[in-house]
């Protein structure tokens, strides 16, 4: 009897790009756009306002600093902390993936928050300012801790994972998303309740909720009875 033959069908995937590179490019836009809007490009972007343009307010400069800190942290985590299950993705997808951050977190927030007539030009409300700063600092540090926990679950060079535990993981499936949202709510409060920041939180939160639900299903399937099922995947009592 002749041995059975095996037919391999290879589909062309086109040019590929590494996930780490994708993330670096995604976060680079909102890292530099706010500072460009607030300083060197300010006279050209807000050309239709009365001249001379007022100097950026304290709150506008503070929001710019918070955005820079957030996305510098993202770049640091991408380079030194995150481990990726998939090595590459189609290079053409970089434009779609980057649009969320470059447009919504970069152009959208920078244009509206840094306008000469934005709410952030007014005297800061102490309650909003200090609550926002507190949420931002706590959210960023707790989010970093979650990423370090997740990194420790995977051995270098493998895709094997352990069951995550530690601060926040007993509350929800993805505390890293919970703390991410808390940090952005902090930016929203500091910005003087800018609708553009709230819009970014809403869109990003919806996407993170979908990812968190998918991860909860994967944990239940992968770990079975060993995994303590969560009632909420991202925000306790809500999602």
């Amino acid at each position: 009897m002749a041995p059975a033959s095996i037919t391999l069908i290879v589909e062309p995937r086109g040019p590929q790009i590494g996930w780490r590179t994708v993330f670096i490019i995604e976060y680079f836009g909102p890292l530099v756009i706010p500072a460009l809007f607030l300083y060197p490009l300010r006279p050209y972007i807000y050309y239709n306002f009365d001249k001379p343009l007022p100097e950026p307010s304290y709150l506008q400069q503070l929001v710019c600093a918070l955005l820079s800190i957030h996305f510098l942290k993202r770049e640091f985590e991408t380079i030194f902390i995150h481990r990726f299950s998939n090595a590459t993705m189609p290079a053409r997808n970089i434009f779609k993936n980057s649009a969320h951050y470059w447009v919504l977190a970069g152009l959208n927030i920078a244009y509206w928050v840094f306008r000469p007539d934005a709410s952030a030009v007014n005297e800061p409300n102490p309650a909003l300012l200090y609550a926002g700063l507190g949420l931002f600092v706590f959210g960023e540090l707790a989010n970093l801790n979650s990423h370090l926990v997740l990194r420790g679950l995977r051995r270098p060079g493998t895709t094997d994972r352990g069951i995550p535990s530690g601060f926040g993981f007993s509350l929800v499936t993805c505390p890293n998303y919970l703390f991410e949202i808390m940090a952005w709510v902090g930016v929203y409060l500091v910005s003087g309740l800018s609708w553009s920041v709230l819009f970014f939180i809403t869109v990003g939160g919806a996407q993170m909720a979908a990812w968190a639900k998918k991860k909860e299903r994967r944990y239940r399937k992968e770990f079975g009875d060993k995994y303590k099922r969560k009632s909420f995947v991202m925000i306790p009592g809500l999602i």
Side-chain angles (χ1 to χ4, degrees):
M1 179 184 297
S5 61
I6 299 176
T7 302
L8 296 178
I9 300 176
V10 180
E11 296 183 2
R13 300 176 64 192
Q16 299 290 299
I17 187 171
W19 271 100
R20 197 178 307 277
T21 303
V22 170
F23 279 26
I24 290 172
I25 295 172
E26 284 181 358
Y27 301 146
F28 179 75
L31 173 61
V32 300
I33 288 173
L36 291 175
F37 270 53
L38 192 60
Y39 298 111
L41 299 182
R42 183 175 176 82
Y44 307 102
I45 294 170
Y46 304 114
Y47 65 92
N48 56 328
F49 284 84
D50 293 337
K51 302 296 187 295
L53 287 176
E55 292 296 316
S57 71
Y58 167 73
L59 283 183
Q60 288 176 324
Q61 294 180 73
L62 183 56
V63 170
C64 185
L66 296 183
L67 294 174
S68 298
I69 291 170
H70 176 77
F71 286 105
L72 277 173
K73 170 180 167 291
R74 283 286 191 91
E75 297 283 29
F76 173 82
E77 291 169 339
T78 298
I79 296 171
F80 297 107
I81 295 178
H82 293 326
R83 291 173 178 157
F84 300 92
S85 300
N86 299 317
T88 64
M89 63 174 282
R92 64 180 180 276
N93 288 355
I94 186 62
F95 302 103
K96 177 183 67 176
N97 286 33
S98 296
H100 172 74
Y101 289 103
W102 284 61
V103 176
L104 295 186
L107 299 174
N108 169 59
I109 292 178
Y111 177 80
W112 294 104
V113 175
F114 301 153
R115 280 170 60 101
D117 60 351
S119 59
V121 304
N122 301 318
E123 284 295 315
N125 180 315
L128 294 180
L129 175 61
Y130 294 117
L133 288 175
L135 276 174
F136 179 83
V137 172
F138 174 81
E140 292 291 338
L141 292 176
N143 175 267
L144 174 61
N145 177 72
S146 297
H147 288 160
L148 290 171
V149 170
L150 293 171
R151 172 186 170 86
L153 299 177
R154 182 181 299 168
R155 295 193 303 271
T158 73
T159 58
D160 296 334
R161 301 181 182 90
I163 299 175
S165 62
F167 183 69
F169 286 94
S170 61
L171 293 176
V172 293
T173 309
C174 297
N176 51 317
Y177 296 157
L178 169 63
F179 300 136
E180 172 92 358
I181 289 175
M182 291 177 67
W184 276 103
V185 170
V187 176
Y188 171 63
L189 297 180
V190 172
S191 73
L193 308 181
S194 172
W195 71 267
S196 61
V197 181
L198 182 61
F199 181 69
F200 176 72
I201 294 172
T202 302
V203 174
Q207 179 62 74
M208 286 187 286
W211 289 336
K213 291 177 182 177
K214 183 178 179 180
K215 183 160 290 188
E216 173 68 16
R217 291 193 296 268
R218 182 173 63 76
Y219 283 161
R220 294 182 182 185
K221 180 179 179 181
E222 184 175 351
F223 299 115
D225 294 337
K226 296 179 181 178
Y227 175 69
K228 184 178 179 180
R229 298 187 172 198
K230 306 296 190 304
S231 300
F232 302 101
V233 296
M234 189 170 72
I235 300 177
L238 185 61
I239 301 174

